[in-house]
Amino acid sequence: MRILLGMAECGFTAGILLILSFFYPKHKLTTRTGLFYLSSPLANVVSGPLASALSHIHHPYIKRWQWVFIIEGAITILVALLGYYILQDHPEKCRFLSEEEKRFIVKYKRRDGTLGGSQHLSFMSVFAPEVINDLGFTSAQAQAMSALPSACGAVAILLAGRTVRVCGSHWLACSLALLTALVGSVLMVATLNVPVRILGLCLLGTGGFSGLGTSPGWNITANSQTVANSAVAAAMTVFMGSASGFVASNVFLNSDAPRFVIGHTVNVGLMALGIMACVVTRLSMGRRNKRFARQPPEFDNGFRFVY
């Protein structure tokens, strides 16, 4: 069943990221992508208290854990049915836009060169309740308190666009998000003090979800020259994000509680690698933009990397 679930949902994020790239200009994609990813921390904020509440349901035939799948599955089916009629896959076929609005969107997207014809934080969503439980709280309390890091992440996503403007660049905002999460992991390893470890979880949520608000819009949509490039980049991003679930389940081990040294060490290493990748990407994009600027006007399509 988990395989079928993965097959069913694998194209959702990549498809949404691709659709967003059809409708919005480059300078607005970061904010719009961040608003889409806001659903992830909000879902975690709701799911923890919801699971805690459902654990108190008593039914002669339906077990408590089954209620989670029944209720969340029913909501998903309802949203899917509504989405079939509400979602529009291209500006030229969008039912709620006027003809003038359609022409306007198509014109500036083609000028951007990013319009085609008619993209998890496994630790936060899966292991945060377990980590909080090891701090001395009951399972029900841990489920409810796991909403706190995700709530911090939701605020970080909402402020992602402003963070990019304050930093003056996407790569610096992404590096700051990764550094925040890195500090959170260091705190989780360094001490068993409960308030400090809760702070570490909140920093992990803030940094991790802030990265979701800035990185996909920067690398997947704003810096893809063709719709094919956007599609491949979105698919690869979702693939790597989904793979994190496999990694997390093998490095955050019960035998390593309560510090989870192995898991957080892997986190720190990956965050440091991500910061280095941001720097390398910035340097590469700057060099390639200079190369574009030196092209003869007849070969210059106006595309420039945004960093």
Side-chain angles (χ1 to χ4, degrees):
M1 292 302 295
R2 292 185 66 87
I3 293 175
L4 293 176
L5 176 62
M7 292 173 62
E9 68 180 11
C10 65
F12 174 73
T13 300
I16 292 295
L17 293 174
L18 188 61
I19 290 174
L20 287 175
S21 72
F22 291 157
F23 284 86
Y24 295 103
K26 292 180 179 181
H27 65 279
K28 293 186 177 181
L29 275 173
T30 297
T31 302
R32 295 330 189 261
T33 305
L35 290 175
F36 165 67
Y37 274 112
L38 180 63
S39 61
S40 182
L42 288 181
N44 291 340
V45 169
V46 174
S47 62
L50 177 62
S52 178
L54 293 178
S55 66
H56 297 288
I57 295 179
H58 298 279
H59 192 277
Y61 303 109
I62 302 177
K63 297 180 180 180
R64 295 172 182 175
W65 62 267
Q66 291 176 319
W67 280 109
V68 177
F69 291 94
I70 291 173
I71 294 177
E72 293 186 358
I75 295 173
T76 302
I77 292 173
L78 176 61
V79 172
L81 293 174
L82 293 174
Y84 180 81
Y85 295 100
I86 295 175
L87 282 177
Q88 309 294 309
D89 60 359
H90 198 276
E92 292 178 331
K93 299 186 293 183
C94 188
R95 292 191 296 270
F96 56 79
L97 293 177
S98 67
E99 291 301 320
E100 182 180 354
E101 289 170 332
K102 292 178 183 179
R103 287 193 296 271
F104 176 76
I105 293 175
V106 170
K107 182 179 179 180
Y108 73 65
K109 288 304 294 179
R110 284 181 175 158
R111 187 169 61 246
D112 278 349
T114 55
L115 182 72
S118 345
Q119 92 144 247
H120 295 301
L121 285 170
S122 295
F123 168 75
M124 295 307 302
S125 59
V126 178
F127 294 99
E130 183 176 338
V131 172
I132 294 174
N133 189 35
D134 283 324
L135 297 180
F137 299 96
T138 66
S139 296
Q141 289 173 330
Q143 286 287 353
M145 289 185 64
S146 66
L148 182 59
S150 295
C152 294
V155 174
I157 285 183
L158 285 174
L159 297 177
R162 183 177 295 275
T163 303
V164 171
R165 290 192 292 272
V166 170
C167 292
S169 61
H170 289 79
W171 76 272
L172 191 57
C174 287
S175 298
L176 179 62
L178 289 166
L179 181 61
T180 302
L182 187 152
V183 172
S185 274
V186 170
L187 290 179
M188 293 295 294
V189 174
T191 181
L192 293 178
N193 180 275
V194 173
V196 176
R197 287 171 68 82
I198 292 293
L199 173 63
L201 277 175
C202 290
L203 290 176
L204 274 168
T206 300
F209 284 114
S210 179
L212 281 179
T214 55
S215 180
W218 172 38
N219 286 321
I220 296 175
T221 51
N223 288 310
S224 295
Q225 295 190 53
T226 67
V227 64
N229 289 347
S230 292
V232 172
M236 290 301 297
T237 299
V238 174
F239 168 75
M240 296 301 293
S242 299
S244 66
F246 171 79
V247 175
S249 63
N250 285 278
V251 296
F252 285 92
L253 307 174
N254 290 332
S255 58
D256 203 24
R259 290 184 186 270
F260 296 99
V261 175
I262 297 175
H264 288 297
T265 301
V266 172
N267 259 355
V268 169
L270 291 175
M271 298 300 174
L273 183 63
I275 293 173
M276 288 188 289
C278 288
V279 175
V280 171
T281 300
R282 161 64 180 88
L283 295 175
S284 175
M285 288 180 172
R287 186 170 59 252
R288 295 170 74 179
N289 277 352
K290 291 179 181 178
R291 190 188 312 152
F292 290 149
R294 291 194 297 267
Q295 291 183 133
E298 60 269 21
F299 296 106
D300 188 357
N301 62 4
F303 177 84
R304 296 293 185 273
F305 288 105
V306 177
Y307 51 76

